[in-house]
Amino acid sequence: MATVNFFWPVLKAKTEKTRSMSTRVTIERMGAGGDGIAATAAGSAYVPFSLPGEVANVALENGRATMMALIEPSPERVAPACRHFEECGGCTLQHWQDSAYQEWKRSLVQDALGGRGLLFKLEPLVTCAPQTRRRTVFAVRTSERGAVLGFNKHQSHELIDIAECPITVPEIVSRLDDLRDLVAVLGGGMKLFKLTVTSTASGLDITASGCGAPDAAKRQALTALVIKKDFARLSFEGEIIVEPRKPLVHFGKVPVFLPPGGFLQATAEAEEAMCNLVAGHLAKSKKTLDLFCGSGTFAFRMAEKSSVHAVESDQGAVAAIDRSVRFVQGLKPVSVERRDLFRRPFLARELAPFNGLVFDPPRAGAEAQAIEIAKSSVSKVAAVSCNPVTLARDLSILVKGGYKIDRVVPVDQFLWSSHVEAVALLSKK
C-alpha cells in the first residue's frame, strides 16, 4: 500500500504563500542595531545579516525581514569566523569586511554626538582582536539530551547550543563541556537561566542566576564538581557557593579580588586603552574623583599620580577596593565611598575640592550627575560610556555648562556587535 503524505497540500500551500509574500529589496544603509535597512511599500524594513548595497528577496513581517535569498551580495561581504553565525545571536556582523565594519562602528559615535550638535574631534576606532572577550554571559538550560549552553538565536528566545566562540578567550571556550557539566548539576528544568563566566588570573569565576537557589544536597554536589573541574569560584545571585581560590585581576599594578558578579570590562585590551586615555587626561590633577568606579578599574591607575576618591553603589565592589588599598604600597591616597549616584549625585559644592574626575555609568548614563558636574569648577573631566546615545545627552549637558570636548575615542570592545564604547575627554577653564 502506497504511503500518503496528508501534510503535503498544507506544506505546499504554506510554501507558495511564503513565496508570494517575498519582496525584493535593496539594502540602503546599516541601522544602529546592526541590521540592514531597506525601503519597502510598507515602510522601512530591517534585514538581519545583510550589508549596504545588497539585493535580496525577503519575507516581511511587522517591519522586520527574513532573508530568503541573497541576489546580489556586497563586495564587502566576507566569510564569517564562526560556524554558528546567523544561527547564534551573539554576533551579528562577522560577515562584514574589517575596514567597512570599523568605519560603521565609528559612525555610531559620530552620529549620536553629532545629532546633539556637539563640536568634537572623533579619533580612529580602537580595535579589539578575536579571542579576547574575558567575560561572557551564556544562556543555559537542561534538556532531555543534556545541558545546553550558548546564546539566544537572533531576535528569538530559542537557545542555540555552541561548540565554539571566536570572540571569547580560549580559557573559557576550552571549558565549554565542563561548564555544561556544571549546568547539569545546577538543574533548573527546561527553564532558561544565565551563567556568567569570567576568566581571571586564578581561574574561571562563575555566577549563576535565574535557576533557583540550590538546596543542601545540590550545594554539596556543586562543591565537589567545582573542585574537580578546578574552577576558581561558583556563586549564585551574589552568594558564594564554593570558592577554592579568590578570583584575581590586576588594575594597573594593583591586584584586586573581584566580588561575586562584580563588573569587569569585557576585554583587558579595551580596559587598558581606556585607562590610558583617562589617566593621561587627568595626569596633572592633584585630587581626582572616580564616579561609578566599580572595583577600581580607573581609580588604581589614577592613584599612581594623584589622590583618588572612588564612589560606587555596590557593596562588594567598595569592599574590594578597600581591601586592596590596605595591602598595596607606592600609590597616592585612595579613599572609597558607597553611594547611589542616581539618587544622590555629587553636588557641585561637593565637587569643589577636585580638579579632575572620571565617570563610567551603566547604559542609562548619568544625567543627574552630569547636571552637577556642569555647574562645577572641575577643570578636567573624562566621560566613559557603552551607550553613544546617553553619552551624547550627558556631554551636551556638560557643554552647556561651559565644558569643551577635547577628544572622543571610540573603542570596539564588543567585537562584531552593534555595541561600542567611547571615551570623551573634556576641559573647562
Side-chain angles (χ1 to χ4, degrees):
M1 181 177 177
T3 302
V4 179
N5 188 343
F6 294 98
F7 296 99
W8 168 243
V10 177
L11 291 173
K12 183 178 180 182
K14 286 185 176 181
T15 302
E16 290 175 350
K17 183 179 180 181
T18 300
R19 287 174 179 169
S20 66
M21 291 175 62
S22 67
T23 304
R24 178 168 294 199
V25 298
T26 299
I27 308 302
E28 298 176 347
R29 65 189 188 281
M30 192 66 75
D35 294 337
I37 300 178
T40 72
S44 295
Y46 294 84
V47 188
F49 310 115
S50 62
L51 293 175
E54 292 188 330
V55 178
N57 284 343
V58 301
L60 298 173
E61 184 177 359
N62 298 324
R64 298 207 61 82
T66 300
M67 189 183 296
M68 308 301 291
L70 180 60
I71 308 301
E72 296 179 18
S74 166
E76 296 174 351
R77 181 175 282 270
V78 297
C82 180
R83 76 180 83 170
H84 304 298
F85 183 66
E86 290 192 16
E87 187 179 20
C88 164
C91 297
T92 55
L93 294 163
Q94 287 185 16
H95 61 308
W96 206 356
Q97 185 185 66
D98 283 349
S99 59
Y101 157 77
Q102 290 165 7
E103 187 55 39
W104 171 79
K105 210 64 172 295
R106 187 171 176 268
S107 75
L108 296 177
V109 179
Q110 177 72 52
D111 294 346
L113 273 59
R116 289 272 182 172
L118 297 170
L119 299 177
F120 61 98
K121 175 186 176 183
L122 184 64
E123 300 197 358
L125 181 76
V126 175
T127 61
C128 288
Q131 297 185 321
T132 57
R133 180 79 66 85
R134 61 180 174 179
R135 183 175 183 269
T136 304
V137 182
F138 293 108
V140 297
R141 66 174 173 83
T142 54
S143 71
E144 295 178 354
R145 296 183 179 181
V148 183
L149 180 147
F151 302 99
N152 286 343
K153 190 173 182 178
H154 185 65
Q155 298 292 334
S156 168
H157 295 295
E158 180 185 349
L159 178 57
I160 304 301
D161 199 32
I162 64 168
E164 64 181 14
C165 183
I167 65 172
T168 304
V169 294
E171 290 82 357
I172 294 177
V173 176
S174 65
R175 306 296 299 278
L176 292 179
D177 287 340
D178 290 337
L179 292 170
R180 288 187 178 89
D181 291 342
L182 185 64
V183 171
V185 178
L186 281 166
M190 299 294 286
K191 178 183 176 183
L192 281 174
F193 60 100
K194 292 182 179 179
L195 207 65
T196 301
V197 184
T198 304
S199 177
T200 76
S202 308
L204 297 189
D205 180 23
I206 305 165
T207 298
S209 59
C211 57
D215 56 21
K218 187 172 288 187
R219 284 171 183 266
Q220 186 175 3
L222 289 168
T223 298
L225 183 63
V226 166
I227 293 172
K228 177 183 177 182
K229 299 294 185 181
D230 197 32
F231 295 139
R233 179 173 64 193
L234 173 66
S235 57
F236 170 78
E237 306 283 7
E239 176 196 356
I240 296 175
I241 303 299
V242 56
E243 187 182 61
R245 298 180 300 279
K246 290 185 177 298
L248 176 67
V249 295
H250 286 82
F251 295 141
K253 301 175 183 178
V254 181
V256 177
F257 295 121
L258 282 180
F263 174 78
L264 186 68
Q265 297 290 349
T267 76
E269 293 78 5
E271 176 186 284
E272 192 68 25
M274 292 188 292
C275 287
N276 287 339
L277 288 166
V278 171
H281 187 60
L282 305 181
K284 295 182 180 180
S285 302
K286 299 294 184 182
K287 192 170 184 178
T288 56
L289 183 63
D290 185 356
L291 303 175
F292 306 95
C293 67
S295 296
T297 306
F298 296 104
F300 286 125
R301 289 174 169 92
M302 295 192 302
E304 295 176 15
K305 295 185 178 180
S306 64
S307 66
V308 181
H309 184 58
V311 185
E312 171 61 49
S313 63
D314 182 76
Q315 178 59 44
V318 169
I321 294 176
D322 188 52
R323 182 169 49 245
S324 298
V325 166
R326 297 173 186 271
F327 301 100
V328 174
Q329 297 180 344
L331 297 180
K332 302 293 185 181
V334 176
S335 55
V336 62
E337 176 184 351
R338 186 184 183 191
R339 179 166 174 170
D340 186 338
L341 292 166
F342 290 107
R343 296 184 177 183
R344 291 182 55 228
F346 259 68
L347 302 178
R349 64 174 182 271
E350 296 178 278
L351 295 171
F354 302 97
N355 44 31
L357 71 80
V358 57
F359 65 101
D360 183 12
R363 288 187 61 80
E367 184 175 15
Q369 186 60 75
I371 290 171
E372 295 300 324
I373 296 172
K375 294 186 288 186
S376 79
S377 58
V378 179
S379 59
K380 295 287 185 179
V381 170
V384 182
S385 174
C386 60
N387 185 344
V389 174
T390 55
L391 174 64
R393 179 202 63 204
D394 294 347
L395 292 183
S396 66
I397 294 170
L398 296 177
V399 168
K400 288 176 183 177
Y403 281 91
K404 173 181 175 294
I405 302 175
D406 298 321
R407 302 168 64 191
V408 179
V409 183
V411 181
D412 190 16
Q413 181 162 216
F414 309 100
L415 183 64
W416 295 324
S417 79
S418 60
H419 300 295
V420 62
E421 199 96 15
V423 179
L425 307 175
L426 304 95
S427 58
K428 188 181 208 180
K429 293 183 180 179

